[in-house]
Amino acid sequence: MRNIYHEGSRKLQKHFTVKPLADRLAETIILADISLEDQAFISEQNMFFMATVDAEGSPNCSYKGGGKGFVKVIDENTLAFPSFDGNSMFLSMGNILQTNKIGMLFIDFEHQARLRINGCASIDLEDPLLQEFHEAELVVRVKVEQIFPNCPRYIHKMKMVEKSKFVPNKACKTPEPDWKRLEAVADVLPEKDKHLAGNEQDRFKAINR
């Protein structure tokens, strides 16, 4: 497992005289294996935040949502999650193809808990797990390098109000997002979405849904 601290971290630890504490935490809470407790936590989550970086070092942060347990624990060192139909920009997925670096932040807002994962991600366009994720375009596998909890004191307590109707479900047809009906994209829609062209909704309403 690589050292989580670098020169920048050490400079601030020294300034605030917390290096011994930082070292103790690194020794005790940062693991390379996914514990049974962490597996249970991940299986209960329906979203996470994902950080990636491109070959020039430019970062990108993204939200990933799905059904509860859509991030699967494959073994004690490996996770897998689906990438569903999005905005077609493939910023995060493209970064993974370039650098393989990924950071994942799971937050349980109801119980005020969070879990951080840093690792190496990969994409195989023919991944056999594609069959296990309904309507997934891609499957991302993550080799965990560091997994650790974070102090939850600043997590705001919130409750689930409604699940997104766009999360793929085998029991019903997934609705189309309104932004694909905009005139601005009508002539560049992929073949599977051509039927949506020319059915524009209110522009601002569509973009913000």
Side-chain angles (χ1 to χ4, degrees):
M1 181 171 62
R2 66 181 175 83
N3 189 354
I4 195 169
Y5 300 133
H6 50 64
E7 184 180 350
S9 306
R10 291 305 194 188
K11 181 176 181 179
L12 292 173
Q13 289 168 12
K14 181 178 180 180
H15 176 80
F16 290 102
T17 64
V18 294
K19 183 179 180 297
L21 176 58
D23 287 340
R24 181 62 55 81
L25 290 175
E27 293 169 2
T28 56
I29 70 170
I30 300 177
L31 304 175
D33 297 334
I34 308 168
S35 68
L36 293 178
E37 182 180 9
D38 290 340
Q39 289 183 36
F41 180 82
I42 292 169
S43 69
E44 286 296 310
Q45 307 313 307
N46 61 8
M47 57 77 68
F48 69 93
F49 297 101
M50 175 174 65
T52 59
V53 63
D54 67 19
E56 296 180 353
S58 296
N60 191 70
C61 187
S62 179
Y63 165 91
K64 290 295 178 185
K68 182 183 289 188
F70 78 112
V71 178
K72 295 187 180 298
V73 179
I74 306 302
D75 57 44
E76 64 181 8
N77 300 113
T78 312
L79 299 173
F81 64 87
S83 178
F84 300 120
D85 177 59
N87 59 14
S88 300
M89 297 175 76
F90 290 104
L91 297 176
S92 297
M93 297 300 109
N95 283 352
I96 288 173
L97 287 182
Q98 276 202 329
T99 66
N100 301 116
K101 301 298 183 182
I102 190 170
M104 303 170 72
L105 173 62
F106 293 88
I107 302 180
D108 183 337
F109 290 99
E110 273 197 74
H111 301 98
Q112 294 172 292
R114 61 180 176 173
L115 184 70
R116 292 175 65 169
I117 294 174
N118 297 319
C120 184
S122 62
I123 296 172
D124 178 354
L125 297 178
E126 304 298 329
D127 195 308
L129 283 177
L130 273 169
Q131 305 305 316
E132 297 186 21
F133 296 107
H134 183 57
E135 293 187 12
E137 290 186 330
L138 300 167
V139 170
V140 179
R141 295 195 186 225
V142 179
K143 201 69 173 176
V144 175
E145 295 179 342
Q146 298 159 344
I147 180 169
F148 55 101
N150 259 155
C151 174
R153 69 181 124 167
Y154 300 117
I155 298 175
H156 305 295
K157 191 175 181 64
M158 294 184 278
K159 289 188 175 182
M160 167 71 74
V161 175
E162 183 179 69
K163 295 179 181 178
S164 171
K165 64 183 179 180
F166 294 100
V167 173
N169 187 330
K170 290 182 180 180
C172 61
K173 179 177 173 57
T174 304
E176 305 287 355
D178 286 341
W179 69 266
K180 288 188 177 182
R181 306 177 193 277
L182 294 173
E183 190 63 34
V185 299
D187 62 329
V188 291
L189 289 171
E191 195 61 39
K192 67 183 180 68
D193 294 324
K194 291 290 188 185
H195 64 285
L196 300 174
N199 191 11
E200 183 171 355
Q201 307 291 315
D202 177 82
R203 182 173 184 272
F204 295 102
K205 182 179 179 182
I207 288 176
N208 287 294
R209 277 189 178 176

